[in-house]
C-alpha cells in the first residue's frame, strides 16, 4: 500500500460540510466516490486534517488515503480531478511515509475570514464573503481585540457550547488583518481550533470593530469561560481553511 | 408616472438568462416580481438594454420602468434590494425623462470576457470565468486577430446562425486585453452586438491565441459571411455585460 497526501480546494457553498453524514452532499462523500471508481469498486477511506462546516470553503485542506495502485504521487491530481465535480479541485499530491497522518501529524492550521465592506454587497461574492451590512469597522479596534486572543488560553467562551472535548486550551499564534480593495481579511494561525472557534473570534472582533463591544472586554470574556459572553458566530461563507501545517 | 433608470449587477449562474421565458428562473421575472410587491399587486413591466443568456453575468445592466409611486430616484436601490434575491443587486437608480429608453437610447455596450489560465481551475471561479483547459494563449496573436475585428464590418460569421436580424453590420470600437494574476480579460466595446457575437469573437481570438487558427485568417472569416468559418462560441460563464453607454 502507498500512502498519498493530497491538498484540495473546494467551494463549500454546495456542500453540507466536509464530513460524510446521513443526508446531504459532502466533500468526503465526493472524494470517496471518485476513489471507489478509480479502485474499480474497492472502498478507499479518506482521512482529512479536520472537518469544515456547511458553506465553509477550503483553499488548502489536506487529506490522505492508502492505495494498492501504483499510480505515482504526482499523477493523482489529474486522476482525481477528472472524476471529481468542479467544486472540488486537487491541487497537489505526493506519496508520503505511512507515519504521516493528515489529522494527527498536523501541527497547526491557518484560516482566512473575509468580510465584504461594499455598501451594496456584490452578487458575485455572496457565497464567498460575509456582508458587512453597512457596518464599517475600525480595524485598529479589531487589532487591539485580536492581541488579547493571541497566545495560549482556555477558549471555552470562543467555541460552540456543543463542543464535547474536555481540554479547551489552544494556542493562537497570530491574527493578521489585510485590506484588499472592498474586502477585509482576518488571517489566523494556531496550533488547533475548537468547533466554531474561528467564526466566533471573527464575530467577536467584528463586534469590537463596529463598536458593539469594547476590545478591552476580551480578556474578561476569555476568563469567563462562558460561550454566551463571546460575540456572534460569523457566517460560514466568509471562512476559508487556508493551510494545514505539518511542522515544515 | 415617473420613469426610473436602474443599473443592476447579477450573477448569471442561477438564471436561465435575463428575459422572461415559459420555464426557468430569469432576472426579469425576479425584478418584475419585486416591483409587483412594491406596487401592491399592480404589474410593472421592465425594459432592459438587452438580453443576456443563461449563465452570463452583468456588472452594469441597465433597465427602466415607469411607476406611479412617489419614491425618489435614489431611494429605489434600497427599496428594490430588500425585495430581490441576493444574486441580483441594484447599484444605482435615478429618475429620468420619459424620452429615455434603456434599449433604444443606448449608444453602445462594453462586455468583459474572462479566462482563467491556472492549470487547475479554481473551484471558486467555475461559474465566473472560462477555464483554459491547460492552454496558454499568445496574447500578441490575440491582439493581432482582434485588430482585424475593430471597425465596421458585417459580422455574419461572428453571430449565431439563428440570428434573424437582417442587418448584421456592426461597429466594434475597441478590443482590449488585460492580465489580472491568473486571469486574462478581453474588454470589447461596440455600437451593438449580434446574438452570441462577443462569445464567438472570444472563442475565435482564443483559437488565434492558442494556435488553432492563424490571426491572419480573420479578414477572410469576416468576408466569408458564414458562421461555420468563425471559432467556437466561448462558454457563457466567462461573459459579463459591463456597461451600457448612453452617449455620455
Amino acid at each position: 500500500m502507498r500512502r498519498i497526501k493530497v491538498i484540495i480546494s473546494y467551494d463549500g457553498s454546495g456542500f453540507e460540510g466536509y464530513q460524510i453524514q446521513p443526508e446531504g452532499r459532502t466533500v468526503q462523500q465526493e472524494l470517496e466516490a471518485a476513489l471507489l471508481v478509480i479502485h474499480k469498486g474497492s472502498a478507499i477511506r479518506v482521512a482529512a486534517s479536520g472537518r469544515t462546516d456547511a458553506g465553509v470553503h477550503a483553499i488548502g485542506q489536506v487529506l490522505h488515503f492508502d492505495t494498492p495502485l501504483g499510480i505515482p504521487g504526482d499523477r493523482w491530481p489529474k486522476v482525481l480531478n477528472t472524476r471529481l465535480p468542479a467544486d472540488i479541485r486537487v491541487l497537489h499530491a505526493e506519496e508520503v511515509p505511512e507515519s504521516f497522518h493528515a489529522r494527527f501529524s498536523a501541527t497547526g492550521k491557518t484560516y482566512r475570514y473575509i468580510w465584504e465592506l461594499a455598501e451594496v454587497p456584490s452578487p458575485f461574492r455572496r457565497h464567498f464573503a460575509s456582508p458587512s451590512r453597512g457596518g464599517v469597522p475600525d480595524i485598529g479596534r479589531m487589532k487591539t481585540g485580536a492581541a488579547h486572543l493571541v497566545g495560549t488560553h482556555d477558549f471555552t467562551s470562543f467555541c460552540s457550547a456543543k463542543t464535547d472535548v474536555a481540554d479547551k486550551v489552544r494556542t493562537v499564534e497570530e491574527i493578521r488583518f489585510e485590506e484588499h480593495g472592498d474586502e477585509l481579511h482576518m488571517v489566523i494561525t494556531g496550533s488547533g481550533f475548537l468547533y466554531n472557534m474561528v467564526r466566533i473570534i471573527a464575530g467577536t472582533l467584528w463586534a469590537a470593530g463596529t463598536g458593539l463591544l469594547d476590545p478591552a472586554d476580551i480578556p474578561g470574556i476569555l476568563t469567563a469561560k462562558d460561550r454566551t459572553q463571546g460575540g456572534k458566530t460569523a457566517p460560514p461563507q466568509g471562512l476559508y481553511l487556508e493551510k494545514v501545517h505539518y511542522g515544515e
Side-chain angles (χ1 to χ4, degrees), chain A:
Chain A
M1 297 289 263
R2 293 159 185 255
R3 181 155 290 189
I4 307 295
K5 173 189 174 187
V6 165
I7 304 178
I8 65 171
S9 177
Y10 47 84
D11 168 358
S13 54
F15 295 105
E16 294 300 317
Y18 173 80
Q19 194 172 54
I20 285 182
Q21 51 180 56
E23 291 200 41
R25 183 173 175 252
T26 68
V27 178
Q28 186 187 2
Q29 169 199 17
E30 293 285 2
L31 289 164
E32 294 187 356
L35 287 167
L36 189 73
V37 173
I38 294 163
H39 290 83
K40 304 190 188 305
S42 298
I44 301 289
R45 194 79 196 210
V46 159
S49 73
R51 314 172 190 185
T52 54
D53 276 349
V56 172
H57 312 290
I59 298 168
Q61 168 71 292
V62 176
L63 39 96
H64 80 260
F65 58 86
D66 293 325
T67 177
L69 301 179
I71 298 169
D74 61 1
R75 288 280 308 154
W76 276 100
K78 201 153 208 175
V79 168
L80 280 163
N81 282 334
T82 56
R83 285 156 183 95
L84 283 167
D87 48 359
I88 307 175
R89 290 292 91 184
V90 175
L91 306 178
H92 173 85
E94 62 184 298
E95 195 175 337
V96 288
E98 257 184 71
S99 59
F100 175 86
H101 190 288
R103 181 167 167 210
F104 301 120
S105 303
T107 55
K109 283 181 184 168
T110 297
Y111 284 91
R112 183 174 291 264
Y113 196 88
I114 303 181
W115 291 274
E116 193 195 1
L117 304 181
E119 205 187 338
V120 178
S122 161
F124 305 109
R125 300 292 294 155
R126 70 195 192 287
H127 296 308
F128 305 113
S130 178
S132 73
R133 307 193 187 288
V136 177
D138 178 331
I139 298 170
R141 287 172 59 99
M142 294 178 83
K143 286 180 179 171
T144 304
H148 294 299
L149 295 171
V150 172
T152 302
H153 303 284
D154 183 314
F155 282 97
T156 302
S157 297
F158 291 87
C159 72
S160 167
K162 289 181 284 182
T163 306
D164 56 6
V165 295
D167 179 11
K168 289 170 181 157
V169 175
R170 294 291 183 277
T171 299
V172 171
E173 283 149 27
E174 187 190 31
I175 303 178
R176 191 172 80 234
F177 291 90
E178 298 175 0
E179 291 173 83
H180 297 280
D182 261 355
E183 290 180 351
L184 175 63
H185 295 208
M186 175 187 83
V187 186
I188 181 168
T189 298
S191 61
F193 292 92
L194 297 158
Y195 187 50
N196 277 354
M197 181 170 151
V198 178
R199 289 166 56 192
I200 296 168
I201 288 176
T204 304
L205 294 179
W206 182 261
T210 53
L212 289 172
L213 188 141
D214 189 332
D217 291 342
I218 289 180
I221 295 172
L222 275 169
T223 52
K225 296 181 195 171
D226 173 3
R227 168 68 190 99
T228 66
Q229 301 290 305
K232 283 187 192 164
T233 305
Q237 71 269 24
L239 183 60
Y240 296 73
L241 170 55
E242 180 154 297
K243 192 173 163 62
V244 186
H245 303 279
Y246 292 95
E248 311 88 338

